Amino acid sequence: MKSSVITFPGSNCDRDMDVALKKFGFNNKMVWHDDNELPKSDLVVLPGGFSYGDYLRCGSMASKSKIMQSVINFAKSGGLVMGICNGFQILVETGLVPGVLLRNKYLEFICKNVFVKLDNKENTYFKNLNKDVLEFHIAHNEGNYFCTKDQLKEIKDNNQIAIYYCNSEGKIEDQYNPNGSIKNIAGIFNKEKNVLGMMPHPERMIDQSLSGEDGSIFFKNLINNIK
Amino acid sequence: MKVSAIITLKKDVLDPQGKVIHQALDGMGFENISEVRQGKYFEIDVNEDDPSKAKAVVEDMCKKLLANLVIENFKIIETQ
């Protein structure tokens, strides 16, 4: 299975993602933002970081970089595109997934482990996962998901909410919402469910001695679903 | 020709920075404030002599990059 991780100026989770993808069997290539063409890929990942120093709005400049036209075309033709953290911010700026990510409600940079509840397993990312609650890591300043009322109705109607912030038992309540996201939303699909944007970092949970294994569960399942 | 654009958050979008600034101003003794909203201001020198053309270019920039229309409004405010 072939994957590509895009590196923008200021990306800093690109190599972590490369390590994670390779660990679980992807033949991964790093792709520079200034390239025109994506290599042949089964999965494209927009990694976390601070692309373009978060200037203007997080992800706004990266969303206009050269490679993104090729990524957008790939997504529109049904290709799997996953954006993590800053990658999620880039995805919303391209319009591939609806909504925006605002400053965290309490103006803090949040760096901690959180639990997320999967809402929809009828997609390549979560199909066949035998867990409903996963422990991932978040590290962001702008993860406060917001969308208009009309957009919220649309994403609910189309089952586009991918994951919610919750507690270890999967309870989705205000007190488990780290950043003020509308409805505790931590990740969103596009309508067709081939594009996934999420704030949590599965690539940081691939080693028990470092953090946890829920990222391993996610990646192992993902590559099996793509095969 | 210089064209300016002001980007403001839409009314129902939470502005935590504006809220904190409001609190700080309040603490400094500026008590007669009901709300503070923070925005962005751009001054763009366009190589164009026709004011309406220059404004149209900046409007296009606002729609495509400078503003995110899900949460922000923009206003082209002056030309020189």
Side-chain angles (χ1 to χ4, degrees), chain A residues 56-57 60-61 64 93 99-100 102-105 107 144 146-148 151, chain B residues 9-10 12-14 16-17 20 40 42 64-68 70-72:
Chain A
L56 189 61
R57 292 178 309 277
S60 62
M61 316 295 253
K64 311 293 179 204
E93 284 286 342
V100 291
L102 302 173
R103 269 305 274 281
N104 295 340
K105 191 175 175 187
L107 298 172
N144 179 355
F146 178 86
C147 60
T148 63
Q151 280 179 320
Chain B
L9 278 175
K10 286 183 178 171
D12 51 354
V13 178
L14 182 75
Q17 293 180 93
V20 172
K40 295 184 185 119
F42 297 90
K64 287 180 178 160
L65 178 68
L66 302 181
N68 183 328
V70 177
I71 48 163
E72 293 170 326

Side-chain angles (χ1 to χ4, degrees), chain A residues 61-78:
Chain A
M61 316 295 253
S63 74
K64 311 293 179 204
S65 55
K66 255 192 203 170
I67 193 68
M68 283 311 292
Q69 199 46 56
S70 181
V71 174
I72 290 167
N73 293 342
F74 177 73
K76 289 197 168 155
S77 67

Side-chain angles (χ1 to χ4, degrees), chain B:
Chain B
M1 167 161 285
K2 275 188 184 155
V3 179
S4 303
I6 285 186
I7 315 280
T8 51
L9 278 175
K10 286 183 178 171
K11 217 179 159 194
D12 51 354
V13 178
L14 182 75
D15 179 14
Q17 293 180 93
K19 267 196 176 155
V20 172
I21 294 165
H22 183 180
Q23 283 166 14
L25 289 170
D26 204 51
M28 289 162 72
F30 296 100
E31 286 163 0
N32 194 20
I33 304 169
S34 53
E35 195 183 21
V36 178
R37 305 280 283 170
Q38 185 177 311
K40 295 184 185 119
Y41 172 79
F42 297 90
E43 233 176 41
I44 298 170
D45 207 343
V46 187
N47 293 325
E48 176 64 66
D49 294 328
D50 181 340
S52 61
K53 275 187 189 164
K55 278 185 183 176
V57 171
V58 174
E59 191 177 324
D60 201 27
M61 291 175 189
C62 286
K63 286 179 183 163
K64 287 180 178 160
L65 178 68
L66 302 181
N68 183 328
L69 300 181
V70 177
I71 48 163
E72 293 170 326
N73 291 320
F74 67 88
K75 212 190 240 169
I76 312 291
I77 56 156
E78 75 186 57
T79 52
Q80 283 174 358

Side-chain angles (χ1 to χ4, degrees), chain A residues 74-92:
Chain A
F74 177 73
K76 289 197 168 155
S77 67
L80 294 178
V81 177
M82 178 167 75
I84 305 295
C85 198
N86 188 225
F88 184 15
Q89 294 164 341
I90 295 167
L91 280 179
V92 298

